[in-house]
Amino acid sequence: MTAADLVPVVTIDGPSGTGKGTLAVLLAARLGWQCLDSGALYRVLGLAAARRGIDLDDAPALAALAGNLGVSFVGGRVLLDGADLGDAIRTETAGMAASRVAVHPGVRAALLEWQRRQACPPGLVADGRDMGTVVFPRAGLKVFLDASAQVRAERRYKQLREKGLDANLPALVEEIAERDARDRNRAVAPLRAAADAVMVDSTALSINDVFDLVVEEVRRVFPDQVHEVAAE
Ligand code: DC
């Protein structure tokens, strides 16, 4: 038993562009719990490696960097060595670099305990690829969120454009397919649903529909944690 097992945890795993991140933030706010965006960790590592001139295939150097990563999350902002990274980690290039550094077992091992330490009272919502399978295998509720590749690319396109970032839909479809294949086929902690995960296909659902559905699941598993929202 680890400290993480004493705190209620909801994990949300799935491929990119399913709305995991948005769902995790909304759910954490609704419950008043902490939120862990584990993808951001891998994105920061990819960016830090690029800044230090470390090759994304250099497993030992990346594992050493991961073990010493000066990352912090402050009110929705991501800081590296105290400096706000802004949207630099949200680009598709950063996502691709994250997916490449994430294949190295030493990198994943170096980031494991840091992630588990985020499970603090009153609870944690954690989103990523291996939250329910590796990082929090005893989480009370595990959600696996999926959607068709085309819809995921369209959502990612909209999200990037809204942030004022460059985006090209056909290129995104290809990049998402490449990233999915790497994340699903790597040897360590590949993207897959935990055997006990609740499967949600968001292809035809709005984020509000998905949110309502998952809040019902939380209510079922942690009946004391979902407090009614007072009517306006
Ligand atoms: O969720 P995201 O798009 O920010 O994740 C970026 C990449 O980081 C993803 O393609 C694979 C990697 N990742 C991972 O390997 N394990 C996680 N728990 C989260 C992300």
Side-chain angles (χ1 to χ4, degrees), residues 38-39 42-43 98-99 102 108 128-131 179 183 186:
S38 63
Y42 292 93
R43 286 170 181 261
S99 168
R108 305 198 74 86
R129 304 292 185 290
D130 61 341
M131 297 295 99
R179 192 134 74 89
D183 295 348
R186 67 182 174 223

Side-chain angles (χ1 to χ4, degrees), residues 16-17 148-158 169 172-173 176:
S16 64
S148 77
Q150 181 66 29
V151 162
R152 291 191 283 122
E154 285 166 12
R155 284 184 191 153
R156 183 49 64 98
Y157 177 80
K158 213 171 138 233
L169 188 56
L172 267 179
V173 173
I176 282 189

Side-chain angles (χ1 to χ4, degrees), residues 20-61:
K20 293 186 311 290
T22 310
L23 175 64
V25 168
L26 289 175
L27 191 61
R30 173 73 171 80
L31 296 168
W33 290 7
Q34 327 286 334
C35 189
L36 167 64
D37 171 4
S38 63
L41 263 189
Y42 292 93
R43 286 170 181 261
V44 171
L45 180 63
L47 201 75
R51 289 184 178 176
R52 286 171 169 77
I54 297 174
D55 193 285
L56 300 184
D57 294 323
D58 186 345

Side-chain angles (χ1 to χ4, degrees), residues 44-177:
V44 171
L45 180 63
L47 201 75
R51 289 184 178 176
R52 286 171 169 77
I54 297 174
D55 193 285
L56 300 184
D57 294 323
D58 186 345
L62 290 168
L65 184 59
N68 229 332
L69 197 63
V71 66
S72 44
F73 293 82
V74 183
R77 294 179 311 135
V78 185
L79 312 183
L80 176 61
D81 298 326
D84 189 349
L85 291 173
D87 280 335
I89 57 161
R90 297 295 165 201
T91 65
E92 276 311 292
T93 312
M96 202 61 102
S99 168
R100 287 185 57 192
V101 300
V103 301
H104 304 300
V107 162
R108 305 198 74 86
L111 296 177
L112 190 60
E113 286 312 314
W114 190 94
Q115 294 176 84
R116 287 189 174 152
R117 278 201 300 276
Q118 307 314 303
C120 300
L124 177 73
V125 180
D127 89 87
R129 304 292 185 290
D130 61 341
M131 297 295 99
T133 49
V134 175
V135 182
F136 301 109
R138 285 194 278 266
L141 175 63
K142 301 175 184 177
V143 176
F144 192 87
L145 195 55
D146 211 342
S148 77
Q150 181 66 29
V151 162
R152 291 191 283 122
E154 285 166 12
R155 284 184 191 153
R156 183 49 64 98
Y157 177 80
K158 213 171 138 233
Q159 217 176 38
L160 290 169
R161 294 305 292 250
E162 279 168 6
K163 286 199 164 128
L165 295 169
D166 253 0
N168 168 302
L169 188 56
L172 267 179
V173 173
E174 262 183 46
E175 281 166 9
I176 282 189

